[in-house]
Amino acid sequence: QQPVQSPQAVILREGEDAVINCSSSKALYSVHWYRQKHGEAPVFLMILLKGGEQKGHEKISASFNEKKQQSSLYLTASQLSYSGTYFCGTGPGGGGADGLTFGKGTHLIIQP
Amino acid sequence: GAGVSQSPSNKVTEKGKDVELRCDPISGHTALYWYRQSLGQGLEFLIYFQGNSAPDKSGLPSDRFSAERTGGSVSTLTIQRTQQEDSAVYLCASSLEAGVYGYTFGSGTRLTVV
């Protein structure tokens, strides 16, 4: 079952904050977040694991509510470079044998 | 290598022909994944390799699709008797350890079946 992302699209001014949500109907082991710019490959942002462990390499934050089967990505003081499509990928098997099931994406446009 | 390398970057083929897509993952990454992305859509999981073995091939869309990985490194995705609905960007990704670390994606192969 594909996770549902919201909003589908959002337009912000540089410096504003954004929250992107990802909701699944299945129990989650892990949630991945990726950003994809037009014509480029998705770039890893963060992985959240059941039990609270987080791994990421950018100045972003995220939450993972295992009970509600939801995750949210928080982008604060957005920069022009944050523009792109954000995908969450959910993994009942930890993204291993089952791979990840990705949402349809959230289009984020940051304007000067 | 420094990143995940995929070749060719673009492939136009006639309906009914076979195509082979190649992925060279980051050295030392044991997990390798293939995904498909159709225009304006999300990513569809195809297959996962841990080392040279693929525990589950049920994500492949049809029996025209096959994949292998050799030497724990390079992987090829083969599509036989291509159909127009196979047109998409095929993305390969690798990970240091499945389920624990994020993916590094390659730039993809854009396949167009005419």
Side-chain angles (χ1 to χ4, degrees), chain A residues 68-80:
Chain A
K68 291 185 177 179
Q69 296 164 191
Q70 292 176 343
S71 176
S72 295
L73 186 71
Y74 304 97
L75 305 169
T76 56
S78 57
Q79 304 171 17
L80 294 176

Side-chain angles (χ1 to χ4, degrees), chain A residues 73-96:
Chain A
L73 186 71
Y74 304 97
L75 305 169
T76 56
S78 57
Q79 304 171 17
L80 294 176
S81 61
Y82 288 6
S83 293
T85 302
Y86 289 75
F87 292 99
C88 71
T90 58

Side-chain angles (χ1 to χ4, degrees), chain A residues 29-30 32 44 47 49 53 55 94-96, chain B residues 33 95 97-102:
Chain A
Y29 175 87
S30 67
H32 293 221
F44 170 70
I47 178 173
L49 302 174
E53 188 176 359
K55 288 186 174 70
Chain B
Y33 306 83
S95 176
E97 183 180 339
V100 179
Y101 294 93

Side-chain angles (χ1 to χ4, degrees), chain A residues 28-70:
Chain A
L28 298 178
Y29 175 87
S30 67
V31 179
H32 293 221
W33 286 95
Y34 293 83
R35 177 172 60 217
Q36 186 177 33
K37 294 183 182 286
H38 184 69
E40 298 180 8
V43 173
F44 170 70
L45 296 176
M46 179 165 285
I47 178 173
L48 301 104
L49 302 174
K50 190 174 181 178
E53 188 176 359
Q54 294 188 16
K55 288 186 174 70
H57 60 69
E58 287 203 16
K59 294 180 181 177
I60 58 169
S61 62
S63 64
F64 180 19
N65 188 320
E66 297 165 33
K67 268 190 175 180
K68 291 185 177 179
Q69 296 164 191
Q70 292 176 343

Side-chain angles (χ1 to χ4, degrees), chain B:
Chain B
V4 177
S5 177
Q6 290 189 247
S7 60
S9 55
N10 278 286
K11 177 72 177 179
V12 180
T13 189
E14 292 181 353
K15 179 181 170 182
K17 300 280 189 185
D18 298 351
V19 294
E20 191 173 277
L21 312 180
R22 176 188 167 104
C23 173
D24 201 341
I26 292 174
S27 177
H29 280 199
T30 59
L32 184 147
Y33 306 83
W34 284 98
Y35 284 83
R36 178 168 73 173
Q37 187 172 32
S38 300
L39 188 63
Q41 299 298 310
L43 295 94
E44 175 191 3
F45 171 68
L46 299 179
I47 194 167
Y48 150 73
F49 287 91
Q50 177 58 43
N52 290 336
S53 65
D56 183 359
K57 299 182 179 180
S58 63
L60 294 174
S62 75
D63 58 9
R64 296 185 294 104
F65 287 71
S66 63
E68 66 174 10
R69 188 181 185 193
T70 55
S73 181
V74 173
S75 175
T76 54
L77 178 69
T78 302
I79 309 173
Q80 295 179 311
R81 305 180 303 283
T82 52
Q83 303 294 313
Q84 287 187 329
E85 61 263 28
D86 298 334
S87 296
V89 176
Y90 288 81
L91 290 162
C92 174
S94 68
S95 176
L96 187 59
E97 183 180 339
V100 179
Y101 294 93
Y103 299 173
T104 301
F105 280 91
S107 297
T109 293
R110 181 176 297 279
L111 176 66
T112 304
V113 182
V114 297

